[in-house]
């Protein structure tokens, strides 16, 4: 399935361009991480196309300021912390009491390359916030996704999935030394496997799932990185600001990064597709050669690993 279409879009396509001729009136969309960075840009574009966009957030006060005045966007009034399953379940109950369907779920929230931390149940924080929280959220919202009769689930991964396959033996770094980039890479591989599993399991319910690599975008996600680390990635401008001087197929503006998210969420070009990893507003090729600068590793789209992770998640994590 990892065969480019091609779509006709490019790395320079913006989120607003994707929805230019798409009417989303009557659609209900949830965007985690929808109050900042790529999630916020995606929420704005989808709401502008007429959708009702609901944003749960960990910091309600900060999110309220970011979303103030944006038409068609509603902030969930309580805290939802993806590393806390009780808050996820509370959000699920709140949503189900107000909406009988969910057309699109965008799993955009996450953390990146942070020092070792664990959630209240002892799970390593990057796998908890990036993967485990969205796994629980999907399970809580399955009835509404099924009722949409054509729902899509879009989950953000990253080029960092190249760093690590999923470690079924020690996913929480209990027995092995913690490496923040291996932990992030594993979490992003898990996110890609989540899409593969959801698509395989719930395709009979007309739910299709997609994974997105948005590109390298300098947002608040990089808050844990030092100036030296960002400089090594070329993400410090000559004037000392965080960001890029030039853009290419990998380095993007926020609106360009959000384009693939929105494309996976709403584009009719993906009708009949699912379980695929996408970048630059197209289905990405398999990364089979170290000289390749694009693509998805086979371990992130492996159906057997995806099914195993879905089934073993309750055992692997507290």
């Amino acid at each position: 399935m990892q065969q480019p279409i091609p779509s006709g879009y490019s790395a320079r396509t913006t989120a607003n361009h994707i929805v230019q001729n798409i009417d989303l009136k009557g659609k209900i969309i949830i965007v985690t991480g929808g109050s900042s960075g790529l999630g916020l840009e995606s929420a704005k574009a989808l709401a502008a196309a007429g959708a009702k966009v609901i944003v749960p957030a960990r910091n309600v006060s900060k999110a309220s300021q970011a979303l103030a005045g944006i038409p068609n966007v509603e902030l969930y009034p309580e805290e939802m912390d993806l590393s806390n399953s009780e808050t996820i379940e509370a959000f699920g109950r709140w949503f189900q009491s107000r909406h009988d369907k969910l057309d699109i779920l965008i799993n955009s929230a996450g953390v990146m390359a942070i020092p070792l931390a664990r959630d209240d149940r002892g799970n390593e924080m990057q796998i908890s916030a990036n993967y485990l929280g969205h796994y629980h959220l999907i399970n809580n919202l399955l009835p509404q996704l099924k009722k949409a009769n054509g729902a899509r689930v879009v989950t953000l991964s990253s080029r960092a999935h190249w760093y690590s396959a999923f470690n079924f033996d020690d996913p929480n770094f209990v027995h092995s030394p913690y490496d923040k980039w291996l932990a992030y890479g594993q979490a992003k591989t898990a996110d890609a496997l989540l899409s593969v599993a959801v698509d395989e399991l719930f395709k009979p319910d007309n739910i299709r799932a997609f994974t997105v690599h948005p590109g390298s975008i300098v947002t608040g996600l990089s808050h844990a990185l030092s100036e030296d680390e960002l400089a090594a990635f070329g993400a410090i401008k000559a004037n000392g600001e965080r960001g890029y001087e030039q853009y290419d197929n990998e380095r993007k503006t926020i609106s360009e990064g959000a384009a693939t998210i929105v494309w996976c969420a709403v584009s009719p070009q993906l009708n009949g597709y699912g379980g695929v990893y996408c970048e630059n507003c197209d289905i990405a090729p398999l990364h089979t050669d170290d000289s390749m600068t694009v693509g998805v590793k086979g371990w992130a789209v492996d159906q057997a690993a995806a099914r195993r992770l879905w089934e073993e998640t309750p055992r692997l994590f507290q």
Side-chain angles (χ1 to χ4, degrees):
M1 289 294 288
Q2 288 299 145
Q3 296 290 331
I5 298 177
S7 68
Y9 296 118
S10 74
R12 301 282 74 81
T13 301
T14 65
N16 287 333
H17 183 71
I18 295 293
V19 297
Q20 208 165 32
N21 298 307
I22 293 180
D23 184 0
L24 297 178
K25 289 184 180 67
K27 300 293 185 182
I28 306 297
I29 301 175
I30 293 172
V31 183
T32 72
S35 60
S36 64
L38 293 168
L40 176 58
E41 193 71 20
S42 301
K44 286 179 178 178
L46 295 164
K52 170 74 170 180
V53 180
I54 297 167
V55 176
R58 185 171 56 85
N59 187 325
V60 176
S61 175
K62 186 176 178 181
S64 179
Q65 295 177 28
L67 298 172
I70 304 176
N72 298 333
V73 176
E74 179 182 3
L75 175 64
Y76 171 56
E78 305 293 333
E79 171 192 355
M80 191 191 82
D81 183 345
L82 284 164
S83 66
N84 184 321
S85 60
E86 292 179 359
T87 68
I88 296 169
E89 291 166 3
F91 170 72
R93 291 191 295 270
W94 176 88
F95 179 83
Q96 290 165 2
S97 70
R98 288 160 173 77
H99 302 282
D100 62 354
K101 66 160 186 167
L102 174 59
D103 297 284
I104 299 165
L105 170 61
I106 297 178
N107 299 317
S108 179
V111 296
M112 180 179 76
I114 60 173
L116 178 60
R118 300 190 182 279
D119 66 20
D120 291 342
R121 300 186 180 186
N123 301 301
E124 188 274 317
M125 188 61 77
Q126 293 198 74
I127 197 72
S128 178
N130 290 307
Y131 164 72
L132 192 57
H134 287 125
Y135 170 91
H136 288 311
L137 183 62
I138 291 168
N139 275 286
N140 272 272
L141 297 173
L142 269 175
Q144 278 62 43
L145 288 166
K146 290 177 179 179
K147 288 178 183 176
N149 191 27
R152 290 188 185 183
V153 178
V154 180
T155 302
L156 267 67
S157 182
S158 165
R159 180 80 77 233
H161 85 273
W162 288 7
Y163 297 154
S164 178
F166 186 81
N167 184 349
F168 283 93
D169 295 324
D170 188 23
N172 277 314
F173 290 85
V174 173
H175 305 293
S176 52
Y178 178 74
D179 180 300
K180 67 182 183 181
W181 286 112
L182 286 180
Y184 183 60
Q186 173 186 239
K188 293 289 100 177
T189 290
D191 282 331
L193 293 174
L194 179 62
S195 293
V196 175
V198 168
D199 194 76
E200 179 192 356
L201 289 167
F202 303 109
K203 185 168 25 176
D205 298 295
N206 207 10
I207 299 171
R208 305 310 302 262
F210 303 88
T211 306
V212 170
H213 168 50
S216 295
I217 299 100
V218 180
T219 68
L221 186 66
S222 62
H223 71 88
L225 300 185
S226 68
E227 302 296 302
D228 288 344
E229 287 175 308
L230 283 171
F233 288 114
I236 297 291
K237 297 181 180 180
N239 64 4
E241 292 180 0
R242 293 186 170 212
Y244 299 117
E245 295 282 9
Q246 295 180 321
Y247 299 98
D248 52 30
N249 281 352
E250 177 65 18
R251 299 173 176 179
K252 300 181 183 183
T253 66
I254 292 177
S255 186
E256 291 167 352
T260 305
I261 302 171
V262 174
W263 183 71
C264 285
V266 303
S267 176
Q269 291 180 309
L270 285 170
N271 290 347
Y273 289 90
V276 290
Y277 177 103
C278 301
E279 60 187 352
N280 292 328
C281 298
D282 205 344
I283 297 173
L286 271 177
H287 184 268
T288 56
D289 185 330
D290 286 343
S291 67
M292 293 176 66
T293 59
V294 298
V296 57
K297 292 283 191 182
W299 63 52
V301 288
D302 182 270
Q303 287 192 331
R307 187 64 174 262
R308 180 184 175 189
L309 178 58
W310 178 271
E311 292 175 350
E312 293 191 15
T313 288
R315 178 185 68 79
L316 290 168
F317 304 101
Q318 300 299 316

